[in-house]
Amino acid sequence: MSVFMDLNIISGNDKNKLRSIVETAAHLGYSTVAINYVVEPQQKKQEIPKPQSVSDIFDKFPVVQGKSSPIKVLNRLTIIASDASHFRPTNEYKSFDLVAVYPKTEKLFHAACMTFDVDIICIAVAEKQPFHFKRAPVNGAIERGVFFETCYAAAIRDTTTRRYTIANAISLMEVCKGKNIIVSSGAERISEGFCSACLREMPKLLFLLTVDLSCFMERREPLHLVLFTP
């Protein structure tokens, strides 16, 4: 069964705005979304948050447009790491459906590909990459069932970030040979309207994303992403 999903909706304290974003996603046909809790340990010694229960967001989940089933809401943790010590899996990590890491250096990118116990490796696409993607670690990640994520939110902000986003995404896809790539919105809580714009722009701006949900729900198993250029 193929579904349309967004695995990177940035979390926030305003439940009403978060509820509105999820409702928009369901209305646009997204079958699954992931609420992303982003932690940057090197700043203010941030602790791993406890994800809020999805039942606290909705009493009844909205039905996905064009389908008879309600939208599925997952919790995701993303660690922004500039040092190996910043990624230390604990019991708190187990509270999340998905675990991602955003490596800031080439050394950490290699470690994330080869050894880190993660589902997703985040790629900064809105700026010039500080290092080149190398085939060996990328293939190692693919073999382990780890996926690479690019976010397109910056691509609808201005032309400069759009050029970087497209160029970096193409560079990554060339190394991955189109395998194990996730395209997410990265919709932020700061602007509800911008979040909705991100979700609406996905089909026509970058890629159409289809996923085998049965494989997705098995941790450490490939998501079998299929990407189509518009």
Side-chain angles (χ1 to χ4, degrees):
M1 178 181 64
S2 293
V3 296
F4 192 34
M5 60 176 64
D6 190 323
L7 301 182
N8 193 347
I9 303 295
I10 305 300
S11 67
N13 295 323
D14 191 329
K15 291 183 181 180
N16 290 329
K17 284 188 176 181
L18 194 57
R19 186 182 299 113
S20 177
I21 295 170
V22 175
E23 288 174 343
T24 298
H27 177 72
L28 294 173
Y30 288 73
S31 295
T32 304
V33 295
I35 308 302
N36 188 12
Y37 296 79
V38 181
V39 176
E40 196 165 359
Q42 63 268 36
Q43 291 189 0
K44 300 179 181 180
K45 297 182 178 179
Q46 289 186 348
E47 297 181 354
I48 304 301
K50 183 179 180 180
Q52 57 182 316
S53 173
V54 293
S55 60
D56 292 339
I57 303 175
F58 286 100
D59 294 327
K60 184 178 181 181
F61 289 95
V63 174
V64 178
Q65 183 167 331
K67 299 181 180 293
S68 59
S69 57
I71 191 169
K72 190 174 188 62
V73 181
L74 306 175
N75 283 315
R76 163 181 164 176
L77 172 67
T78 298
I79 303 293
I80 300 176
S82 56
D83 186 88
S85 63
H86 295 152
F87 186 81
R88 293 180 175 177
T90 63
N91 288 331
E92 285 83 359
Y93 283 34
K94 297 178 181 179
S95 300
F96 296 86
D97 302 298
L98 295 169
V99 175
V101 64
Y102 182 172
K104 302 291 284 185
T105 67
E106 183 174 10
K107 183 178 180 181
L108 283 174
F109 178 78
H110 186 279
C113 289
M114 303 305 293
T115 63
F116 284 6
D117 186 20
V118 296
D119 301 287
I120 299 168
I121 298 174
C122 308
I123 304 299
V125 293
E127 58 190 33
K128 186 176 181 179
Q129 284 291 332
F131 56 87
H132 295 290
F133 302 118
K134 295 181 179 179
R135 197 172 299 279
V138 167
N139 286 344
I142 292 173
E143 289 174 1
R144 295 199 304 124
V146 178
F147 279 72
F148 299 93
E149 177 186 64
T150 65
C151 292
Y152 62 88
I156 65 175
R157 288 194 180 104
D158 58 66
T159 55
T160 299
T161 55
R162 183 179 301 120
R163 285 197 297 269
Y164 277 129
T165 299
I166 295 175
N168 288 326
I170 290 175
S171 177
L172 176 63
M173 282 192 292
E174 287 176 345
V175 176
C176 292
K177 296 183 179 180
K179 298 177 181 178
N180 290 45
I181 297 178
I182 297 171
V183 180
S184 301
S185 68
E188 300 178 10
R189 60 184 176 275
I190 55 175
S191 170
E192 185 176 353
F194 182 70
C195 291
S196 298
C198 284
L199 294 171
R200 289 190 175 92
E201 286 294 322
M202 171 62 167
K204 57 186 177 181
L205 180 62
L206 289 178
F207 307 103
L208 178 64
L209 175 64
T210 60
V211 180
D212 185 332
L213 186 56
S214 62
C215 291
F216 168 71
M217 293 311 298
E218 291 296 329
R219 216 173 153 78
R220 302 276 80 82
E221 289 297 319
L223 304 189
H224 298 303
L225 298 186
V226 181
L227 298 172
F228 300 90
T229 53

